[in-house]
Amino acid sequence: MHHENSFNDSSSAMTQADILIVDDIPENIRLLSGILDAKGYQTRKATNGETALRAIEAMLPSLVLLDIRMPKMSGYEVCRRLKSNPKTTHIPVIFLSAADEIADKVEAFGVGGADYITKPFHVEEVLARVHHQLTILAAQQTIWQLNTQLEARVKERTHQLELANSKLSEMAFCDPLTQLPNRAFLMQRLQNVLNQPEQQNLQNAVLYLDCDRFKTVNDSLGHQAGDELLIAISQRLKSVLRQVDLLVRLGGDEFVILLSDLPDAVSATDTAERILNSFTSPFYLREREFFVSFSIGIVSSCSTYKEPEDLLRDADTAMYQAKAAGKDCYQIFEISMYEAVCQRLQLETDLRKALRQQELSLFYQPIVDLATETVVGLEALVRWHHPTLGLVPPDQFIPIAEETGMILKLGLWVLEAACRQLVVWQTQGMVDADFFVSVNVSAYQFAQRDFIEQLDRVLTETQMNPYCLKLEITETVIMQNFVSAAEVIHQLRERAIQLSIDDFGTGYSSLSYLHSFPVDYLKIDRSFTQRLHREKSSLSLVTAIIQIAQTMGIQIVAEGIETSDQLAQLKLLGCRYGQGFFFSKPLPVNQIIDFLSPEAYQIK
Ligand code: C2E
Ligand code: CA
Ligand code: CA
């Protein structure tokens, strides 16, 4: 509905109106044009139908005054033609006729005439009717113009809406930081890929990447620098990939790569290697160098998958294996990994129940004075009697308890149970006043704000003599948080609770902190005890540790003594205390009491 070509501006429609007068009698034409010209209208003239149509064709008039009765072509015919032509149909036609007859008028309107003037002409009437038609015309033009403007505006709005929409969906599928596609996009693409025939999917692989040290950078430099690094990382990743490969940022420092149409099975690991290699050179950020590496999990073929979620889960599982294998490497997913994850999850669920349903118990292992071979104390070691799996070793469930936070409850239970037990033995007179129990304390327990309060509560409730309690912590506890560790250790000393450093030699193996953190015992890790015979280095290290400890007034407990040779050697080195299968395995309460009876005090 565009009439821009046919119409001028509506305001000028009246004054600049171009009126075509068609009549076969020149006298009539002269009369009419005289009236109209005097009023400032433009007029053109035609004396028959054909010239009228040609004139109209040449330039569209605003209005036609059309005589009905003309030779050859009647006014009706001219009007009919005008109305049937889309270019001219809108031009108003006022018929002129001497015959003031009803029939004429009816036919005139029938063929599309707008009005009717009868001869002889009256000036006022002609002007009134012309003016009337031109007013209608102007009004129509205004409407058409508004309409056109409206249409243009609607079009513009629609366009803007479409832009906004596509921007929105772009945003829904795009990671704003790196401009890479995001998880939602990946899931769609994966779904498409998995819908392909299985054969084709043999050649598709997924790489799940997790940055190894990103958190350190982020924490030390701040988020903005972290963001810059992420952008740089994504660009480097992109640079080692082919055009067809899809690189996606899942969020944080995690990326996924979908490799398509791989030529052969090794290509996925090739890509992984290319990525690892490309990250051996540093990033430069804020005038500093940063090394970043990746742990990569690979699902080397998509052919067995139906759900994108499953595929990603397995790639993620493989990535975790890569982390566990020391980071900066890749692992290919194997079904056994999935089974291990499930098993772990099952253990986690079971462990929650275990805490409630009292499936945990304490075993005790004697700690022996090597010179006299008398039992001076016991280490409490937690055991889990799983309803179907039987005895689950602590190495398997303590890490789970730590990761899930269950260690806090578990540790408190151990502490309480060990204290309660010792008090029982004390009141039964089975042990003397110096006899101690040694309890393992996890770093997570130690880091609790109210750890000392918990301890105090346990000591009060069990009426345990704090001096008979030893806590075993690892070096990490101290190294990870110097300040708060110092405070807790200070509190422990005030209560005369003794402290052992467990597994000494496996962690930081630094004696330097012992100046600031007074401890009572160092427990030399069993791996050293067991290498004493075979390795000179172990021997010299243990010798050194014992000597330094002695000058600092710290007692040594050697763990894992299994043979009389080891025992003899440790005695020779001046090690005072020891623990190990040579004396006894950890035993349940009913068996450990054999070691407590005065006769058994002396082990051999
Ligand atoms: P750990 O504190 O180093 O405990 C000593 C471990 O060495 C015990 O293993 C003990 O059975 C084992 N062992 C003792 N003598 C010998 C020996 O002569 N040869 C060998 N090969 N091994 C010996 P267990 O009871 O399986 O405990 C393993 C680890 O689990 C403990 O290592 C400790 O880190 C942790 N753990 C055990 N109970 C608790 C607990 O109640 N709380 C916390 N937080 N951790 C615990
Ligand atoms: Ca221990
Ligand atoms: Ca130990």
Side-chain angles (χ1 to χ4, degrees), residues 365 379 382-383 394-395 440 502-503 526 559-560 562 580-581 586:
Q365 187 177 35
E379 178 176 1
V382 69
R383 294 290 179 266
D395 290 332
N440 293 285
D502 205 355
D503 305 338
R526 63 172 177 271
E559 289 188 306
E562 292 181 356
F581 294 170

Side-chain angles (χ1 to χ4, degrees), residues 365-369 372-378 432 435-436 583 592 595-596 600-603:
Q365 187 177 35
I367 296 174
V368 178
D369 182 331
T372 58
E373 294 197 10
T374 50
V375 179
V376 291
L378 299 172
D432 65 28
F435 197 87
F436 65 86
F583 304 113
I592 200 71
F595 287 92
L596 306 182
Y601 249 54
Q602 198 85 31
I603 282 191

Side-chain angles (χ1 to χ4, degrees), residues 146-194:
L146 286 177
N147 218 16
T148 328
Q149 277 171 15
L150 195 69
E151 269 174 23
R153 210 173 298 164
V154 167
K155 219 170 135 190
E156 172 65 19
R157 284 284 147 82
T158 313
H159 182 63
Q160 282 173 350
L161 247 171
E162 277 166 5
L163 275 183
N165 260 338
S166 74
K167 186 94 197 145
L168 259 175
S169 58
E170 211 173 88
M171 269 160 62
F173 287 115
C174 176
D175 166 47
L177 179 65
T178 59
Q179 301 302 322
L180 292 176
N182 63 8
R183 179 189 287 270
F185 185 83
L186 174 70
M187 292 321 248
Q188 276 200 354
R189 272 288 293 275
L190 280 181
Q191 189 64 66
N192 291 345
V193 163
L194 298 187

Side-chain angles (χ1 to χ4, degrees), residues 370 529 558-563 566-567 570 578-583:
L370 300 184
T529 307
E559 289 188 306
I561 304 174
E562 292 181 356
T563 67
Q566 288 164 354
L567 173 61
L570 285 162
Q579 192 180 347
F581 294 170
F582 178 73
F583 304 113

